[in-house]
């Protein structure tokens, strides 16, 4: 696998769809029957924290009951196939990449299985429910814990690291993302401006950013990604 030295894969909700985790663009802009402004903004948490906690408790429980699919496994295989540097930048808050075996994963929109204290800023791994009556394990404050999720209107995590990765990469693959949520939707434009990387989109349907990709394959990620990964691995074989 010598052809590509630095591969960046951007994943979105579509890669987890075949595992049984709902996307929201495919559901008329609703995320599990909720408008995002009611459950995924700082204003929603200030207005009705119990509703927001219940929403994320349900998402956490759902994700705990599903398994990674062939697309997650293909990316884990890509990372393990050689010494090529592979990074997954995911907009997903589930842990299916890690459970498939990927090690190098940046959750730019946070993680369902973590909560954060709004008083002491400590971050904690979390499996069960979290409520307004749960004390912060570090400072003891209550109410204190919020989902460790980047809500609409908040700044995504790892942006400096991501900028560096986009600058260095020679293959950029976007999987299962509608290309409507920024800043992730703009990554392909940054890469095109650097002019160094091949770009490919793998999505059920053409995304909003389709014209910015050099290559596109449309269909289910679980069908297409294992084939694509196999081609990448073989392209670098002597
Ligand atoms: P999105 O819901 O806006 O778009 C999903 C895209 O995936 C669509 O273009 C759809 O056509 C495509 N898709 C659906 N099924 C597919 C499949 N089997 N194979 C390939 N593609 C498929 O998702 P987004 O662009 O990631 O943005 C949504 C935001 O919502 C993100 O910020 C994310 O944090 C959050 N979200 C996360 C999860 C999760 O963690 N699994 C689920 C829902 C929403």
């Amino acid at each position: 696998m010598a052809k590509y030295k630095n591969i960046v894969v951007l994943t979105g909700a579509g890669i987890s769809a075949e595992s049984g985790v709902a996307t929201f663009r495919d559901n008329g802009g609703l995320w599990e029957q909720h408008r995002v402004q009611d459950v995924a903004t700082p204003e929603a948490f200030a207005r009705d924290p119990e509703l927001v906690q219940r929403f994320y408790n349900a998402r956490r429980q759902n994700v705990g009951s599903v398994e990674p699919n062939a697309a997650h496994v293909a990316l884990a295989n890509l990372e393990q196939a050689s010494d090529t540097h592979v990074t997954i930048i995911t907009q997903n808050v589930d842990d299916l990449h890690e459970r498939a075996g990927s090690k190098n994963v940046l959750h730019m929109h946070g993680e369902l299985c973590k909560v954060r204290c709004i008083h002491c800023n400590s971050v904690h791994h979390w499996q069960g429910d979290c409520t307004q009556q749960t004390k912060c394990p570090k400072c003891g404050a209550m109410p204190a814990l919020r989902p460790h999720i980047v809500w609409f209107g908040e700044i995504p995590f790892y942006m400096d690291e991501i900028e560096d990765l986009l600058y260095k990469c020679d293959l950029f693959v976007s999987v299962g993302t509608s290309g409507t949520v920024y800043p992730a939707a703009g990554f392909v434009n940054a890469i095109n401006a650097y002019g160094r990387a091949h770009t490919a989109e793998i999505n059920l349907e053409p995304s909003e950013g389709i014209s910015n990709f050099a290559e596109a394959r449309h269909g289910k990620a679980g069908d297409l990604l294992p084939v694509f990964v196999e081609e990448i691995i073989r392209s670098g074989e002597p």
Side-chain angles (χ1 to χ4, degrees):
M1 238 175 65
K3 190 175 173 198
Y4 296 114
K5 293 202 175 340
N6 290 297
I7 300 176
V8 170
V9 185
L10 171 69
T11 64
I15 197 168
S16 297
E18 289 161 71
S19 292
V21 184
T23 66
F24 69 67
R25 301 287 151 181
D26 298 332
N27 292 292
L30 295 181
W31 190 0
E32 297 284 356
Q33 283 77 57
H34 290 274
R35 298 185 311 158
V36 287
Q37 56 269 45
D38 293 336
V39 290
T41 63
E43 293 78 14
F45 190 60
R47 198 168 48 239
D48 193 346
E50 298 287 0
L51 170 72
V52 174
Q53 297 279 20
R54 275 200 306 277
F55 176 78
Y56 284 100
N57 287 341
R59 304 284 72 72
R60 195 177 299 122
Q61 198 178 16
N62 173 244
V63 157
S65 68
V66 302
E67 297 298 327
N69 64 55
H72 298 105
V73 172
L75 291 182
N77 290 341
L78 180 65
E79 189 181 313
Q80 283 148 23
S82 82
D83 55 3
T84 296
H85 194 257
V86 179
T87 308
I88 297 172
I89 302 171
T90 188
Q91 300 168 87
N92 293 347
V93 294
D94 64 54
D95 61 353
L96 295 176
H97 285 303
E98 287 87 346
R99 281 162 54 199
S102 290
K103 304 265 182 271
N104 212 5
V105 186
L106 296 178
H107 284 270
M108 64 179 290
H109 290 168
E111 295 172 71
L112 270 178
C113 56
K114 290 182 181 171
V115 296
R116 183 169 81 242
C117 177
I118 58 172
H119 300 288
C120 71
N121 227 21
S122 58
V123 176
H124 305 272
H125 282 276
W126 213 261
Q127 292 301 335
D129 285 355
C130 180
T131 71
Q132 292 300 91
Q133 286 73 48
T134 312
K135 284 185 182 166
C136 169
K138 188 165 179 216
C139 72
M142 186 194 85
L145 302 174
R146 57 162 280 179
H148 189 52
I149 299 286
V150 177
W151 287 322
F152 286 88
E154 297 184 317
I155 297 170
F157 299 142
Y158 307 113
M159 287 313 293
D160 288 346
E161 205 171 333
I162 288 172
E163 203 177 319
D164 195 46
L165 285 163
L166 299 183
Y167 180 73
K168 286 187 187 144
C169 82
D170 48 17
L171 173 64
F172 176 74
V173 190
S174 173
V175 186
T177 176
S178 57
T180 50
V181 178
Y182 282 81
F187 290 172
V188 66
N189 298 95
I191 285 167
N192 286 338
Y194 300 137
R196 268 197 290 271
H198 179 62
T199 56
E201 159 174 301
I202 293 178
N203 205 47
L204 197 58
E205 63 202 351
S207 75
E208 292 281 319
I210 179 70
S211 60
N212 299 313
F213 289 89
E215 179 183 351
R217 300 183 187 190
H218 295 127
K220 288 185 175 180
D223 295 334
L224 299 181
L225 204 53
V227 176
F228 187 77
V229 162
E230 197 50 43
E231 287 172 22
I232 296 172
I233 293 172
R234 269 205 247 109
S235 75
E237 282 175 2

